[in-house]
Amino acid sequence: MTSFLCLQCGVQFAATETPPQHCPVCEDERQYVRWEGQAWATPQDLAAGHRLVMRDDAGVLGFGIEPRFAIGQRAQLVQTPHGNVLWDCVSMVSDEAVAEITRRGGLAAIAISHCHFYSAMGEWSDAFDGVPIYLHADDRQWIMRPHRSIVSWQGETLALNPSLTLVRCGGHFAGSQVLHWQRQGGNALLTGDTVQVTPTRRHVSFMYSYPNQIPLNATAVRRIAAALEPFDFDDIRGAWWDLNIIGGGKTALATSVARYLAAIG
């Protein structure tokens, strides 16, 4: 039995003898099936041709896969005095990554912005004695590999510890969530692509589907802005290497919301 990985989105599926016939995540209009057709990789296939890399990204340890695999996001280790959290996830785990996280105090939990980044979340949890994986209940249907550590939380906010709060923003997916990080030196918002940092690193934007270029409607964007209004933050940390707004994040969000709403009329 093998827990196959979708080659296009990188999400791992429940163990089966043969690859699944379909990937519902990719068949949804917010993603896409490869032009060549649905394809799969085993964890062994992935390890044979790729490696997990770790590096500092604007003061936070990040984890990514090289060469680029699937969507290409990177995960981030959010370190707090109350326990460390892995934010977002990638499709492979390594002994070196486990050792480095352990050296930095271990892992208390995993939290993931939305289903495109669920990847190998179960394997990451298992590597740290089954730490909980916090996903919003509104996205329960997109869990392709059920796992005993998944916590499907409900509501609008959830405090993981005194420094970290999950905020359901919706938008990209009904359960899309961001992580507010209260810390010395400036609070941060880790957003995945619920709030997408643009290449200028001065603005953010919003989409219902990024690859299919379907914009998010005004009501959903206003809801995201309202959900984040109560929180103070200086930085916005996006889903890919180096896509961060360092300083002025709250103003950048407000300016970007106004710009986006004006653009879509």
Side-chain angles (χ1 to χ4, degrees), residues 57 62-64 72-76 88 90 238-244:
D57 190 348
F63 305 87
Q73 77 277 6
R74 58 98 171 85
Q76 300 174 78
D88 279 336
V90 293
W240 284 269
W241 293 113
D242 303 316
L243 278 185
N244 309 300

Side-chain angles (χ1 to χ4, degrees), residues 157 162-165 167 178-191 224-237 245 247-254:
T157 62
S163 301
L164 299 174
T165 301
V167 184
V178 305
L179 183 66
H180 182 260
W181 182 9
Q182 185 174 331
R183 59 175 181 164
Q184 291 184 340
N187 298 342
L189 202 65
L190 291 84
T191 61
I224 291 172
L228 297 176
E229 177 57 33
F231 296 91
D232 292 322
F233 51 91
D234 302 289
D235 303 340
I236 301 176
R237 307 186 63 88
I245 297 174
K250 184 94 172 183
T251 299
L253 175 65

Side-chain angles (χ1 to χ4, degrees), residues 2 6 10 21-22 30 37 44 56 80 94 99 103 122 125 195 199 224 227 232 244 253 262-263:
T2 301
C6 173
Q21 293 296 309
H22 302 279
R30 283 160 285 196
Q44 294 76 22
D56 179 88
T80 83
S94 71
R103 187 185 72 80
S125 174
V195 177
I224 291 172
D232 292 322
N244 309 300
L253 175 65

Side-chain angles (χ1 to χ4, degrees), residues 11-234:
V11 170
Q12 191 168 47
F13 280 59
T16 51
E17 292 285 355
T18 58
Q21 293 296 309
H22 302 279
C23 175
V25 176
C26 287
E27 290 177 347
D28 176 73
E29 64 184 356
R30 283 160 285 196
Q31 181 55 13
Y32 64 99
V33 176
R34 300 167 71 249
W35 183 256
E36 301 85 353
Q38 180 63 51
W40 305 90
T42 67
Q44 294 76 22
D45 295 334
L46 184 59
H50 297 74
R51 64 191 183 98
L52 186 72
V53 298
M54 297 180 284
R55 68 175 174 89
D56 179 88
D57 190 348
V60 175
L61 182 64
F63 305 87
I65 296 176
E66 293 183 354
R68 178 186 171 114
F69 176 72
I71 295 173
Q73 77 277 6
R74 58 98 171 85
Q76 300 174 78
L77 181 66
V78 183
Q79 297 180 247
T80 83
H82 317 287
N84 300 336
V85 172
L86 183 69
W87 171 251
D88 279 336
C89 204
V90 293
S91 300
M92 64 187 302
V93 190
S94 71
D95 292 340
E96 293 77 13
V98 172
E100 181 60 24
I101 292 172
T102 301
R103 187 185 72 80
R104 293 176 181 236
L107 202 61
I110 298 168
I112 304 176
S113 58
H114 71 298
C115 66
H116 289 158
F117 300 161
Y118 286 176
S119 59
M121 59 183 177
E123 292 191 6
W124 279 92
S125 174
D126 290 341
F128 292 94
D129 299 320
V131 296
I133 305 167
Y134 290 94
L135 313 176
H136 198 276
D138 284 357
D139 283 353
R140 190 184 287 117
Q141 74 182 91
W142 303 109
I143 297 171
M144 298 295 110
R145 183 190 174 191
H147 194 278
R148 64 187 179 280
S149 296
I150 292 173
V151 178
S152 293
W153 70 278
Q154 301 181 49
E156 303 306 315
T157 62
L158 177 69
L160 299 182
N161 65 38
S163 301
L164 299 174
T165 301
L166 288 171
V167 184
R168 185 184 79 91
C169 288
H172 187 36
F173 278 80
S176 287
Q177 57 185 9
V178 305
L179 183 66
H180 182 260
W181 182 9
Q182 185 174 331
R183 59 175 181 164
Q184 291 184 340
N187 298 342
L189 202 65
L190 291 84
T191 61
D193 59 8
T194 300
V195 177
Q196 172 78 292
V197 177
T198 68
T200 66
R201 290 178 279 188
R202 297 186 184 91
H203 293 90
V204 298
S205 195
F206 316 89
M207 291 290 273
Y208 178 73
S209 170
Y210 289 94
N212 297 313
Q213 300 178 35
I214 304 173
L216 197 59
N217 65 57
T219 299
V221 172
R222 290 191 181 100
R223 188 195 184 287
I224 291 172
L228 297 176
E229 177 57 33
F231 296 91
D232 292 322
F233 51 91
D234 302 289

